[in-house]
Amino acid sequence: MGNNVVITQEKVQIKEQKCHDRYDDFLLCQREYGFNDLKCRNYYLKKYEQCIKKLENMKLQIQRT
């Protein structure tokens, strides 16, 4: 039914770094194209938000074990 991937603290740290990098990408896009640029908001910010959701789910799975 569900995936049997074991979530480790190391995987959480890797995901945190990935999310941090996604946010940096968003900020760089804003600097280049402007604060309200749709590409920045619709692509980079969305990727960052998705990353944060996955990270939160990973942390919840660790707490349950």
Side-chain angles (χ1 to χ4, degrees):
M1 190 188 312
N3 58 11
N4 291 331
V5 176
V6 176
I7 304 297
T8 63
Q9 192 62 37
E10 182 181 354
K11 288 182 181 179
V12 169
Q13 289 173 339
I14 291 169
K15 181 58 92 173
E16 283 176 334
Q17 183 59 50
K18 186 175 182 179
C19 292
H20 180 74
D21 292 346
R22 296 254 190 239
Y23 191 71
D24 285 346
D25 291 343
F26 170 64
L27 293 179
L28 288 172
C29 183
Q30 278 191 321
R31 266 188 227 124
E32 188 170 340
Y33 298 105
F35 182 76
N36 289 319
D37 183 76
L38 289 178
K39 178 181 180 184
C40 297
R41 293 192 168 276
N42 290 340
Y43 181 76
Y44 291 105
L45 185 59
K46 190 173 192 175
K47 289 283 187 188
Y48 169 70
E49 290 169 344
Q50 290 170 344
C51 189
I52 291 297
K53 282 183 183 178
K54 288 179 184 176
L55 177 61
E56 288 171 355
N57 288 335
M58 290 172 77
K59 288 180 178 179
L60 282 174
Q61 283 184 306
I62 284 181
Q63 288 176 354
R64 290 182 190 149
T65 57

